[in-house]
Amino acid sequence: MTTTPDRTLAMELVRTTEAAALAASRLAGRGDKNAADQAAVDGMRYVLDTVAMDGVVVIGEGEKDEAPMLYNGEHVGNGEGPQVDIAVDPLEGTTLTAKGQPNALSVIAIAPRGSMFDPGPCVYMEKLAGGRDVADLLDLDRPLTETAGLIAERRGKDISEVLMITLDRPRHQEQIEAVRAAGAKVRLISDGDVAGSLLAVMSDSAVDFLWGVGGTPEGVISAAAIKCISGRLVGRLWPRDDAERQAALDAGYDLERQLDQNDLVKADQCLFSATGVTDGELLQGVRRRSAGGATTESVVMRAGSDTIRRVHAQHRPEKLSSMPGAGPGFAIS
């Protein structure tokens, strides 16, 4: 049985993120993030069953008792094809979707079986991400203000032109104030640090680097994407309390170690797909059409071949799917 995901599987993955995005988009702006997330999970899981692979969810919606679908350890796919690890976030930006705000995505990443990092009891990770030209400057042990200055120097611009992106959280306030005091700019985002990581590594983005404490699942998913498009992400596990710290130490985790994308996804070949739910800098969101169908924009990436494709799809009303949560006017063609 092969363990290498191929280009055919890459295009199949787009169908899974399209399904999740189409389902979740029906609830955009409705104020119910849990319902939007559940719709995305239902849509993605429905299509995953048809994909030719023997997949195990390594990064999912949580433990089985809390997540009836896409839970950690669940087997997905039709059982044929490559044996792979799967990391999913059917709706990256549940609050963004509920509020009708930009940059909500549906994302999935796969890699050969056994190659994705299992964060164990650690829910959060401190992360630093940037493009390939500043990859060697990313060090979580260096003061963040110094890193911002080094990035400015490397890129030949004044510190006042350097832009850091980070989640708007009280735990980040001290560093936000320090970076601003050093002369750099900070863009605050309410959710969605996978999108933030991608903006930090893309050469045509205004963002110079990402820093912040966010979810470990998003860290693994971001690592897979960054392996496909180059750049670097470094992360360090960030226990929330003494109990979580002790659980991690008892399980053998090194809480001082900095992990880069090659530690988080060890295989040289991996795949990543994202579909826009709401409009954003990375992707256009789902657009309903007056005739009853919808359009989606996705990006699919494949490491090893450095392939990046943008996929614009039209979903015709006459091909309505029975996908859970698809609703009137949506189809996965």
Side-chain angles (χ1 to χ4, degrees):
M1 177 72 71
T2 180
T3 60
T4 303
D6 61 17
R7 67 188 68 186
T8 302
L9 184 54
M11 298 310 296
E12 284 290 288
L13 287 188
V14 178
R15 296 175 54 241
T16 72
T17 54
E18 286 175 347
L22 285 165
S25 70
R26 296 182 60 244
L27 294 162
R30 299 290 296 275
D32 191 339
K33 67 177 186 179
N34 292 329
D37 188 48
Q38 188 60 58
V41 170
D42 291 346
M44 178 174 281
R45 182 64 175 80
Y46 180 83
V47 176
L48 272 173
D49 279 341
T50 71
V51 177
M53 64 181 178
D54 177 5
V56 174
V57 177
V58 176
I59 302 290
E61 293 292 288
E63 299 302 319
K64 183 176 182 180
D65 291 343
E66 299 176 1
M69 288 192 294
L70 297 181
Y71 56 83
N72 298 347
E74 182 179 8
H75 285 259
V76 295
N78 66 5
E80 302 175 1
Q83 297 178 334
V84 294
D85 287 344
I86 302 176
V88 299
D89 196 343
L91 186 54
E92 209 249 340
T94 55
T95 300
L96 296 176
T97 303
K99 293 182 177 181
Q101 294 177 337
N103 289 318
L105 304 172
S106 172
V107 297
I108 188 169
I110 70 171
R113 181 71 52 82
S115 63
M116 280 188 175
F117 179 75
D118 180 353
C122 294
V123 176
Y124 285 100
M125 171 183 287
E126 183 184 9
K127 308 166 199 173
L128 190 57
R132 69 176 75 185
D133 61 322
V134 298
D136 61 312
L137 304 179
L138 303 181
D139 184 348
L140 291 169
D141 289 328
R142 181 191 299 117
L144 202 55
T145 53
E146 290 185 22
T147 297
L150 290 170
I151 290 174
E153 182 180 349
R154 176 69 57 83
R155 292 185 167 168
K157 57 185 181 181
D158 190 79
I159 186 69
S160 64
E161 297 176 311
V162 171
L163 176 60
M164 178 181 87
I165 192 168
T166 189
L167 290 168
D168 187 4
R169 300 289 187 270
R171 61 179 176 265
H172 295 162
Q173 194 58 42
E174 183 178 346
Q175 291 284 24
I176 290 169
E177 292 175 359
V179 169
R180 285 174 171 165
K185 298 178 290 187
V186 178
R187 180 188 297 181
L188 300 177
I189 54 175
S190 61
D191 296 276
D193 68 351
V194 172
S197 295
L198 291 175
L199 288 171
V201 302
M202 288 182 165
S203 59
D204 58 351
S205 168
V207 175
D208 289 287
F209 69 103
L210 168 137
W211 171 83
V213 175
T216 46
E218 289 82 359
V220 175
I221 292 170
S222 296
I226 290 171
K227 284 179 74 79
C228 295
I229 60 176
S230 196
R232 189 178 186 219
L233 179 144
V234 292
R236 182 159 51 200
L237 297 175
W238 193 84
R240 293 171 294 176
D241 52 37
D242 289 341
E244 191 170 288
R245 173 178 291 276
Q246 191 59 53
L249 292 173
D250 290 345
Y253 288 91
D254 181 352
L255 299 180
E256 302 302 318
R257 183 185 176 192
Q258 294 191 49
L259 306 161
D260 70 9
Q261 68 267 24
N262 295 316
D263 298 306
L264 297 173
V265 182
K266 293 180 180 178
D268 291 334
Q269 292 201 352
C270 59
L271 306 173
F272 172 87
S273 175
T275 300
V277 178
T278 59
D279 285 347
E281 292 176 82
L282 290 172
L283 294 166
Q284 178 180 290
V286 174
R287 300 284 178 88
R288 299 191 186 198
R289 302 169 63 194
S290 58
T295 62
T296 55
E297 183 182 21
S298 305
V299 62
V300 58
M301 310 175 186
R302 180 172 176 239
S305 64
D306 296 326
T307 302
I308 302 174
R309 289 186 173 91
R310 285 189 178 266
V311 180
H312 297 265
Q314 295 186 3
H315 307 276
R316 301 191 299 273
E318 61 267 26
K319 286 191 176 181
L320 288 176
S321 170
S322 58
M323 179 190 75
F330 290 91
I332 307 301
S333 55

